[in-house]
Amino acid sequence: MCGIVGYIGPRQAYPVIIKGLKRLEYRGYDSSGVALIDNGKLNVYKKKGKVAELEEEVLDKNLNSHIGIGHTRWATHGEPSDRNAHPHVSNSGEFAMIHNGIIENYVPIKNDLLKKGYTFKSDTDTEVLLNFIEDIKKNNDCSLEAALRIALKRIVGAYCILLIDQNDPETIIAARKGSPLVIGIGKGEHFLASDASPIIEYTKEVVYVNDYEIAIVKADELVLKNLGNEKQTPFITKLDMELAAIEKGGYDHFMLKEIHEQPDTIFDCLRGRLLSHNSQINLSGVDNNIEIFKNAQRIVMVACGTSWHAGLVAEYLFEDLCRINVEVEYASEFRYRNPVINKGDVIIAISQSGETADTLVALENAKEQGAFIFGVVNAVGSSIARLSNAGAYTHSGPEIGVASTKAFTGQLAVLSMMALKIAYAKGTITELRYQELIKELEAIPEKVKEILVDTSNIQRIAEKYKDATDFLFLGRGYNFPVALEGALKLKEVSYIHAEGYPAAEMKHGPIALVDETLPVVFVATKDKYYEKIVSNVQEIKARKGKVIAVATVSDTVIPTMADDTMFVPDTDEVIAPLLSVVPLQLLSYYVGVAKGFDVDKPRNLAKSVTVE
Ligand code: G6P
């Protein structure tokens, strides 16, 4: 949700910033802009649309600057337009600022500034905050840093901001609360960004700025302070990410690359943790807190979007294997509902980015009430990872495509290992079943590979149904959340209306939609509901619906009933979602591409939703 980049040092700032913005475009792409200081003069360029359009705009400008800030926007206040694009410039023309987040009390502040004669060129809360800072500076005759500190104490909301001053081309001032900020430390230069991807090719040493910290960044100096003006010691972390991981590597889209990476990412997730030779699962976050999990009265999964679907799969896993009562909560509802949190409750936070605002705040609230928070997170060092009492990374690598794919299967792999480990520790599964499931889980990467060997059948099915206006996705048991995820994926990248439903519940409403134009996708792998789902397929066929099935390779019945079938290898039903979701990811991808959409950056979406 908005990407920010800053640079100060001996290089030309503009190319570093533009390249960085392209890497961060998954966070927002409705407009972008840069501010540079050249020869004591502040120059701002901004443009509605993707970063490439900004680049075109500044093509013939002779840019020369060693300090700059850039922004790619996901609109909150004010429609996507040139004038609402960041950076914004203060009334005096001296200061420029970019912002990721939301200032909730911007209206009274704006009214106050209007009365004082301030004017606004945009509809954004950011321009209000910037002029508020300028006004405080003027009234108190203080430094920009001091004015910023005062302003931040008075505003309500979330922010990561970068601020530059035309009269001080040696300094970028940054601050964060609730929206991420990473500072890369080079030799005589510093890089600032929303995540490490714009920084990785220049340096691997980074500092993750904490909430309520201000960074005063010069080419050869980084000072961190809290809002009380006390210096903080920057904690330098070494990135273990490689540049290749954030490039397309020969694929047409990141989404396709990430779908195809899954055999490796799931393998990486299991590596060193799932040890079939001695039937062991090593997850230090669980090991170190095993008594908490064994005694848990209730597990609450808190997440948004695709991660929420992983939580739903985990509900089946933990109830089934561990006999623990599980609830799965949308973070946005949970945080405002005044939920009852009891001693003995464990919260499992699931998040790819580790920065989703609703999830983060829901966890902060739960932690305040004494809950134990376990993070299942992909982005190393992210806010949710740091807030958690313990956790397990999914190790899926950077996910750039806005529609989540490999992060989902990474989450399922971690949650499956957790459930197995806890069930074994509690004695709620037999030794034999435990060993069986470890073996099945270990075989998953190879089985995902089998699905990906030849995707031409799925591509053909996508072409056949791409003009449908609606889709229904149905599944039972472990495959019900997969049906929801299939529908979400299709909506996200093809803009086709799609609904996911429990296959049996379909009779209580959605069946009214069925006619010869409605494709109904059944996630119908061989499991204990198989016979029942066969009946559900018949019910759709009887009403002339078009049936697309995800079926087990050995199945000889469903393929004869369905109009089209996508096959997956056989596995145990408790880990079946790790396979059955893959054809649905591909189906969405190919439908989106066939319709000519930018599947990596679907309209209106952002990868990391850092506003509530
Ligand atoms: C956005 C993304 C989804 C993601 C959701 C939750 O909506 O587009 O792909 O599932 O946020 O994000 P998180 O990073 O917390 O998993």
Side-chain angles (χ1 to χ4, degrees):
M1 196 117 304
C2 299
I4 60 157
V5 185
Y7 175 76
I8 184 159
R11 297 172 206 257
Q12 288 293 334
Y14 177 72
V16 174
I17 292 170
I18 280 291
K19 206 168 183 188
L21 289 180
K22 286 188 179 160
R23 296 245 164 87
L24 290 181
E25 239 184 339
Y26 70 87
R27 302 178 65 87
Y29 32 83
D30 62 47
S31 57
S32 61
V34 291
L36 305 159
I37 305 173
D38 179 15
N39 258 328
K41 190 175 172 319
L42 186 62
N43 295 314
V44 175
Y45 307 96
K46 41 195 203 172
K47 189 80 192 144
K48 181 179 170 187
K50 297 192 174 149
V51 176
E53 286 166 63
L54 171 71
E55 226 181 344
E56 201 137 292
E57 174 92 353
V58 297
L59 211 54
D60 57 347
K61 312 266 188 312
N62 195 6
L63 303 176
N64 179 26
S65 171
H66 299 279
I67 174 173
I69 55 177
H71 186 271
T72 178
R73 179 170 186 250
W74 187 90
T76 57
H77 293 73
E79 57 165 16
S81 63
D82 288 358
R83 66 186 187 89
N84 283 331
H86 299 211
H88 294 285
V89 176
S90 65
N91 270 205
S92 69
E94 289 171 41
F95 311 120
M97 190 169 96
I98 53 177
H99 168 216
N100 167 26
I102 284 187
I103 309 303
E104 290 172 18
N105 59 339
Y106 83 104
V107 176
I109 299 174
K110 185 171 185 176
N111 289 340
D112 224 37
L113 291 170
L114 283 169
K115 276 188 216 138
K116 290 179 174 176
Y118 280 83
T119 56
F120 294 90
K121 295 192 185 75
S122 76
D123 310 316
T124 64
D125 50 345
T126 307
E127 196 187 6
V128 174
L129 173 59
L130 176 59
N131 283 306
F132 185 43
I133 297 167
E134 176 161 295
D135 191 52
I136 294 172
K137 183 175 183 318
K138 220 186 308 168
N139 296 338
N140 294 278
D141 195 18
C142 62
S143 67
L144 184 60
E145 182 198 324
L148 171 67
R149 232 179 0 252
I150 298 171
L152 294 183
K153 286 185 193 155
R154 297 209 201 140
I155 57 165
V156 179
Y159 54 82
C160 169
I161 56 173
L162 301 190
L163 182 59
I164 55 174
D165 174 356
Q166 174 170 271
N167 307 311
D168 179 9
E170 309 296 324
T171 314
I172 299 176
I173 303 182
R176 90 154 253 184
K177 187 207 147 198
S179 303
L181 174 61
V182 189
I183 301 181
I185 303 173
K187 289 198 172 62
E189 58 184 349
H190 283 106
F191 306 83
L192 301 92
S194 302
D195 73 24
S197 60
I199 296 175
I200 183 81
E201 69 183 277
Y202 308 107
T203 175
K204 291 207 162 182
E205 295 204 332
V206 297
V207 171
Y208 291 95
V209 177
N210 291 313
D211 277 351
Y212 303 108
E213 280 182 349
I214 294 182
I216 300 102
V217 190
K218 298 183 186 293
D220 50 11
E221 189 189 30
L222 165 64
V223 176
L224 277 187
K225 292 182 178 175
N226 62 16
L227 292 188
N229 202 22
E230 293 158 338
K231 281 198 180 173
Q232 309 291 301
T233 312
F235 181 73
I236 300 174
T237 313
K238 232 178 167 74
L239 293 172
D240 66 354
M241 189 197 279
E242 294 303 326
L243 188 58
I246 52 171
E247 293 182 333
K248 276 191 210 148
Y251 286 93
D252 288 344
H253 297 96
F254 280 111
M255 183 177 177
L256 189 62
K257 175 187 176 226
E258 287 158 6
I259 292 172
H260 279 270
E261 276 174 347
Q262 289 176 112
D264 292 333
T265 53
I266 300 170
F267 180 80
D268 287 345
C269 178
L270 303 176
R271 189 175 43 198
R273 292 165 155 179
L274 190 82
L275 309 174
S276 67
H277 64 278
N278 59 0
S279 300
Q280 221 180 312
I281 297 175
N282 293 331
L283 284 172
S284 57
V286 178
D287 285 319
N288 298 338
N289 299 286
I290 196 69
E291 290 307 316
I292 296 180
F293 282 104
K294 275 168 76 180
N295 298 325
Q297 297 303 306
R298 186 174 72 138
I299 292 179
V300 186
M301 309 276 170
V302 178
C304 301
T306 289
S307 301
W308 186 80
H309 293 154
L312 277 186
V313 175
E315 179 177 27
Y316 286 81
L317 276 166
F318 280 78
E319 289 194 352
D320 207 0
L321 302 179
C322 313
R323 307 305 298 141
I324 303 175
N325 174 20
V326 177
E327 280 165 39
V328 189
E329 298 280 357
Y330 286 115
S332 54
E333 290 300 315
F334 187 69
R335 64 180 281 196
Y336 285 116
R337 216 184 49 220
N338 193 13
V340 178
I341 295 178
N342 296 311
K343 208 165 171 281
D345 282 351
V346 169
I347 309 266
I348 299 186
I350 309 169
S351 176
Q352 186 287 124
S353 63
E355 301 294 347
T356 301
D358 281 322
T359 310
L360 190 58
V361 179
L363 299 176
E364 282 167 357
N365 296 348
K367 203 174 178 186
E368 263 168 38
Q369 292 183 55
F372 175 79
I373 317 277
F374 190 93
V376 176
V377 174
N378 190 34
V380 176
S382 56
S383 302
I384 293 174
R386 285 181 292 147
L387 179 100
S388 302
N389 297 93
Y393 283 118
T394 52
H395 295 313
S396 312
E399 192 181 64
I400 313 288
V402 166
S404 184
T405 52
K406 64 174 181 173
F408 179 68
T409 46
Q411 291 163 347
L412 296 187
V414 166
L415 291 161
S416 306
M417 283 190 284
M418 286 177 70
L420 269 174
K421 189 172 177 62
I422 295 162
Y424 187 65
K426 283 189 74 176
T428 47
I429 53 170
T430 62
E431 176 86 36
L432 189 66
R433 180 94 178 106
Y434 174 69
Q435 287 175 4
E436 219 173 68
L437 283 172
I438 286 184
K439 289 227 157 56
E440 286 292 344
L441 197 49
E442 196 183 27
I444 288 289
E446 276 307 312
K447 291 184 179 178
V448 174
K449 213 180 260 175
E450 284 172 38
I451 304 172
L452 296 169
V453 167
D454 180 6
T455 59
S456 56
N457 177 45
I458 301 177
Q459 211 166 341
R460 177 192 62 78
I461 297 172
E463 283 290 340
K464 181 170 167 187
Y465 294 99
K466 71 176 195 310
D467 296 320
T469 52
D470 304 271
F471 265 72
L472 194 56
F473 285 74
L474 302 174
R476 300 180 83 116
Y478 283 92
N479 277 328
F480 160 54
V482 176
L484 295 184
E485 175 60 9
L488 177 65
K489 232 37 357 146
L490 189 72
K491 268 185 277 212
E492 285 178 313
V493 302
S494 76
Y495 316 147
I496 295 176
H497 167 246
E499 267 189 73
Y501 241 77
E505 185 66 19
M506 167 269 290
K507 288 199 275 295
H508 301 283
I511 199 163
L513 303 172
V514 178
D515 63 14
E516 62 283 2
T517 68
L518 184 77
V520 182
V521 180
F522 275 94
V523 193
T525 52
K526 282 265 177 74
D527 55 24
K528 65 169 170 280
Y529 315 97
Y530 177 74
E531 303 302 334
K532 301 205 181 301
I533 209 152
V534 167
S535 309
N536 298 139
V537 172
Q538 262 151 358
E539 286 153 11
I540 296 292
K541 286 309 298 171
R543 287 156 184 88
K544 299 197 166 42
K546 295 279 177 288
V547 170
I548 305 168
V550 176
T552 309
V553 230
S554 55
D555 190 342
T556 51
V557 178
I558 291 218
T560 62
M561 297 162 64
D563 295 83
D564 294 281
T565 307
M566 304 181 281
F567 290 101
V568 293
D570 195 9
T571 189
D572 196 286
E573 68 175 48
V574 310
I575 51 171
L578 278 155
L579 300 182
S580 52
V581 75
V582 178
L584 302 184
Q585 296 170 341
L586 285 164
L587 180 69
S588 307
Y589 170 79
Y590 285 121
V591 173
V593 170
K595 292 179 83 85
F597 297 135
D598 184 348
V599 291
D600 280 342
K601 301 186 198 95
R603 70 179 178 213
N604 303 339
L605 298 179
K607 179 118 198 100
S608 181
V609 181
T610 52
V611 295
E612 61 174 282

